[in-house]
Amino acid sequence: MSVLQETISEETVRELSEARDEPDWLLQQRLDAVAALEELPFPDVIRTPGRTWTDLADLDYESMVDPFSQTEDKEWEADEGVEVLPFHEALDSEPDLVRDAFGSVVDPETDYLTALSTALFTTGTVVYVPEGVDAEDVTIRTTMNGRSLFNYTLVVTEKSASVTILERQDSAALRAADRSSGQSPREETGDDLDGSRYYSGLTEIVGGENAYVQYGSLQDLDGTTYNYQLKEADVTTYGTVDFIDVNIGSRLTKASVETHLNGDSAETKMVGAFYGHEDQHFDIDARVWHNAEHTTADLVTRGVIDDEARSVYEGVQNVGKDAWDTNSYQRENTLMLSDESEADASPKLIINNHDTEASHSATVGQVDERDLFYMTSRGVNERLAKNTLVEGFYVPVLEEIEVEELREDLIERVRERLRARE
């Protein structure tokens, strides 16, 4: 068990809360979370044949987590009609909304790292979309400046509301760097912080009846950062919540995207993309719970790994006994560009209702030699041909991204990684 329990105490939590003049109910949530740390397990370790992946209990949290030196820069852009507020401003202007929604989707005591995030978060954003409002462009950018940062995002949509959100996480060193140099994330880290950093992000989405949310996330943290994120949505009657989860940066990422289809005819699409190089490690989870009738889910993930990078994917489709007329589909594909890289996948179907149409598939492989031969035989040099095939590999993901900025950023970051190989 982590030694953080020796340094993170009730006094720590009270000091953080009092410095931000938080209400009693939030202080109590924090205190409950820190009290639960001793008994809570770390996130599940995925085990595949011959391999155990990502045991987060082994990390040295004491060297990375400093609750009182959390610093960041934040930027917000939003359409008219939608409220986008810093978390602690929302506590004043929308107190009932925040109190009712906080912890209603993500259980603060899901595991050790979720409770740690609840106890220590100092920054966050609340997005509130009133009934009938259509908000197309909401952008949130968080730039991590210090040793550690705990961030919280809450999205609440009312009946028949619609919103498209892009949330970006990056690091100050990366943001200032000239990407045209082709440097790697590890080389770009030029600040005065020695050792490793830790970023934690929790995202809760409360979808209203007949509401639509597309939430896109681009994680581009520097190569010294250990990154833990949990994004979870509650989708009610005729509602839709779609996730686009893109992971490019960090030293190690544990990212989980989860949707609970709790209303009649609720829908979700969960699209993931990652590109790992050097010795990056990605542990990606996508999970959906079909809890009501006529629900639909589509899970699509594509990842590329190079050098000595490692990736593992776990996808879970859980169809409840009352989820009549369910449609649930899952596809995951990983492309390996190096013989030294490692990749695995663990798709799962859990079906408790016979009135279900469901499928799942996962592949891990290299660039198709026939496609490569076809292009080179028509005069395309091998390097350009391979790069073109890698870019084309992401097309099924790119086609699902409504936010143009996210789509363009993903394409550019993939091209940067490919240029660095030349």
Side-chain angles (χ1 to χ4, degrees):
M1 184 59 69
S2 171
V3 296
L4 265 181
Q5 288 142 227
E6 300 174 7
T7 56
I8 305 300
S9 64
E10 177 180 328
E11 288 72 25
T12 304
V13 168
R14 288 187 180 277
E15 187 171 343
L16 289 172
S17 183
E18 289 170 6
R20 290 157 182 81
D21 194 25
E22 293 178 349
D24 290 342
W25 69 262
L26 182 54
L27 171 60
Q28 190 58 53
Q29 288 265 29
R30 290 183 182 273
L31 292 173
D32 291 344
V34 78
L37 288 177
E38 187 173 356
E39 302 299 328
L40 288 173
F42 278 80
D44 290 341
V45 177
I46 298 175
R47 290 179 171 83
T48 56
R51 190 73 160 85
T52 299
W53 295 84
T54 326
D55 188 350
L56 297 176
D58 291 338
L59 296 183
D60 182 6
Y61 295 96
E62 187 175 34
S63 70
M64 295 187 290
V65 173
D66 185 350
F68 299 110
S69 66
Q70 300 185 58
T71 59
E72 86 289 340
D73 295 318
K74 270 193 181 290
E75 299 174 4
W76 297 272
E77 295 179 12
D79 282 353
E80 293 185 4
V82 58
E83 289 189 53
V84 181
L85 300 169
F87 181 82
H88 288 89
E89 286 187 20
L91 284 173
D92 293 329
S93 60
E94 298 287 351
D96 294 337
L97 179 139
V98 177
R99 184 183 63 248
D100 292 344
F102 186 91
S104 65
V105 184
V106 175
D107 181 354
E109 298 178 18
T110 299
D111 53 44
Y112 186 97
L113 296 182
T114 307
L116 189 68
S117 296
T118 303
L120 299 184
F121 82 93
T122 59
T123 186
T125 306
V126 175
V127 179
Y128 170 51
V129 192
E131 182 175 348
V133 169
D134 182 6
E136 294 185 355
D137 296 303
V138 173
T139 303
I140 307 162
R141 184 167 196 161
T142 303
T143 299
M144 177 180 178
N145 295 329
R147 170 76 63 199
S148 57
L149 186 66
F150 294 83
N151 186 44
Y152 174 81
T153 302
L154 173 64
V155 179
V156 179
T157 58
E158 292 190 341
K159 182 177 181 180
S160 300
S162 175
V163 64
T164 302
I165 300 168
L166 168 58
E167 182 160 17
R168 310 166 65 111
Q169 306 98 30
D170 60 19
S171 304
L174 280 176
R175 191 170 183 181
D178 179 8
R179 293 195 183 282
S180 64
S181 67
Q183 292 176 309
S184 71
R186 188 175 297 278
E187 293 166 333
E188 288 174 338
T189 305
D191 56 27
D192 58 358
L193 289 173
D194 295 326
S196 299
R197 304 202 227 182
Y198 183 74
Y199 178 90
S200 178
L202 300 183
T203 299
E204 293 190 274
I205 299 178
V206 182
E209 180 181 345
N210 195 42
Y212 172 78
V213 179
Q214 182 174 100
Y215 174 88
S217 174
L218 175 61
Q219 179 274 118
D220 198 9
L221 298 162
D222 74 74
T224 68
T225 303
Y226 289 81
N227 169 47
Y228 170 74
Q229 297 198 37
L230 173 59
K231 305 175 182 74
E232 204 161 345
D234 173 18
V235 192
T236 190
T237 304
Y238 299 114
T240 299
V241 174
D242 293 342
F243 284 101
I244 312 291
D245 196 46
V246 179
N247 287 283
I248 298 293
S250 81
R251 167 68 181 84
L252 177 151
T253 282
K254 171 68 172 179
S256 299
V257 178
E258 307 184 2
T259 304
H260 302 264
L261 300 175
N262 292 324
D264 186 4
S265 301
E267 298 183 10
T268 189
K269 183 169 287 187
M270 304 163 72
V271 178
F274 61 89
Y275 192 136
H277 74 161
E278 295 184 340
D279 60 350
Q280 286 182 290
H281 182 115
F282 290 117
D283 187 318
I284 307 295
D285 300 333
R287 301 186 179 104
V288 59
W289 283 265
H290 295 267
N291 298 323
E293 298 180 344
H294 317 300
T295 54
T296 300
D298 193 10
L299 285 60
V300 182
T301 298
R302 294 220 159 186
V304 172
I305 55 171
D306 199 358
D307 304 322
E308 297 178 359
R310 299 166 299 282
S311 73
V312 62
Y313 165 88
E314 182 177 65
V316 178
Q317 301 148 275
N318 191 316
V319 180
K321 63 180 181 180
D322 297 321
W324 302 95
D325 187 26
T326 290
N327 292 276
S328 192
Y329 311 102
Q330 177 184 174
R331 302 175 303 285
E332 195 278 337
N333 307 96
T334 303
L335 189 63
M336 303 170 65
L337 302 183
S338 164
D339 291 338
E340 287 72 44
S341 58
E342 295 182 61
D344 211 335
S346 179
K348 296 179 174 66
L349 273 173
I350 303 171
I351 299 178
N352 299 295
N353 188 305
H354 63 82
D355 187 15
T356 297
E357 182 175 317
S359 64
H360 67 353
S361 65
T363 64
V364 174
Q366 298 179 327
V367 172
D368 192 295
E369 292 296 332
R370 291 173 299 179
D371 292 340
L372 191 61
F373 175 77
Y374 177 86
M375 296 181 71
T376 55
S377 67
R378 281 155 178 77
V380 181
N381 72 66
E382 184 173 344
R383 174 62 64 190
L384 177 58
K386 182 171 286 190
N387 289 358
T388 301
L389 291 171
V390 172
E391 288 189 39
F393 176 76
Y394 283 105
V395 167
V397 168
L398 294 168
E399 290 177 342
E400 302 296 339
I401 302 176
E402 294 183 10
V403 183
E404 183 177 358
E405 181 181 351
L406 177 54
R407 188 166 57 247
E408 291 177 351
D409 279 352
L410 174 57
I411 294 171
E412 180 56 29
R413 294 297 281 124
V414 169
R415 289 174 177 169
E416 287 175 9
R417 290 282 171 94
L418 292 173
R419 286 196 298 267
R421 302 183 78 245
E422 297 176 357

